[in-house]
Amino acid sequence: MLTLSQTADLLSPHLIEPHVEEPADEGRRQAAVALLLREPEAQDAEGVELLVIKRAENPRDHWSGHMALPGGRWEPGDASLAATAVRETHEEVGVEVPLDCVLGRLPRLSPRNPLLPPIDITPFVALAPAVAVVRPNKEVAAHFWIPVEELRTTGPSAVFALEVLGEYRDWPAYPYREHLIWGLTERILSNFLSLFSTKEP
């Protein structure tokens, strides 16, 4: 299995520089999320782990109760979208990630569900500090450090069904325990995991 350092070496050449941002489209909000990686704590764990959260139930949150990545909307005080990802990660799960631990970013995505607000989301890949203690705030119902290898093995092999505008639609989903990771987070994970198809060191 790859170590955290080997994973960083593998991913870095395939990521977009974190300071290179796509121009914001007028009328669309900007947000950022973090794919936070760490070395596993357990001796028998399956390699590098990724932090995934379950959002708390909130009728005002379009992603209420979803499995997601730490992150949120850009604010005027944020110097960059990478800074947004770092700030939101600290606010939501209590982990401080130095900006120099952000390896790079993936391409920007937007929701495909017409009921969701017009927002563009930029995912950033970052390394967790050596001692990363998760202290979730009220926006987070649960958190999971999921082995990247497990996500690669299962793939989006499940289906999430949802009624949209009177019709049921299916979305591919990553199964994890009793949860399904679908929607934007599934798309981000699939983009991220595709980088591992390159030859491992």
Side-chain angles (χ1 to χ4, degrees), residues 116-194:
L116 294 176
I119 190 168
D120 295 324
I121 299 172
T122 302
F124 290 86
V125 179
L127 305 181
V131 181
V133 179
V134 176
R135 297 184 178 89
N137 69 4
K138 63 181 180 180
E139 298 174 26
V140 178
H143 73 277
F144 312 91
W145 287 102
I146 305 179
V148 169
E149 190 60 30
E150 180 176 338
L151 293 169
R152 292 181 66 192
T153 300
T154 62
S157 55
V159 173
F160 180 86
L162 179 69
E163 185 179 356
V164 178
L165 300 176
E167 294 184 3
Y168 273 94
R169 293 177 54 188
D170 291 341
W171 278 266
Y174 287 86
Y176 179 69
R177 298 180 183 173
E178 70 274 22
H179 307 289
L180 292 176
I181 306 171
W182 65 285
L184 269 170
T185 305
E186 177 274 322
R187 290 165 60 197
I188 292 170
L189 285 182
S190 292
N191 287 346
F192 170 67
L193 295 172
S194 71

Side-chain angles (χ1 to χ4, degrees), residues 82-101:
T84 300
V86 166
R87 174 183 56 77
E88 285 283 345
T89 297
H90 184 236
E91 290 178 4
E92 290 188 344
V93 297
V95 178
E96 287 196 58
V97 181
L99 274 173
D100 60 5
C101 288

Side-chain angles (χ1 to χ4, degrees), residues 1-10 38-40 47-48 196 201:
M1 295 295 175
L2 296 175
T3 65
L4 189 61
S5 176
Q6 289 172 326
T7 300
D9 289 343
L10 172 67
R38 75 165 188 183
E39 294 275 16
V48 173
F196 288 85

Side-chain angles (χ1 to χ4, degrees), residues 52-57 65-68 139-144 179:
V52 176
I53 64 172
K54 185 178 190 300
R55 301 197 66 80
E57 299 287 345
H66 288 202
M67 295 286 280
E139 298 174 26
V140 178
H143 73 277
F144 312 91
H179 307 289

Side-chain angles (χ1 to χ4, degrees), residues 33-48:
V33 297
L35 293 120
L36 191 61
L37 304 173
R38 75 165 188 183
E39 294 275 16
E41 291 184 342
Q43 295 277 344
D44 58 348
E46 299 179 33
V48 173

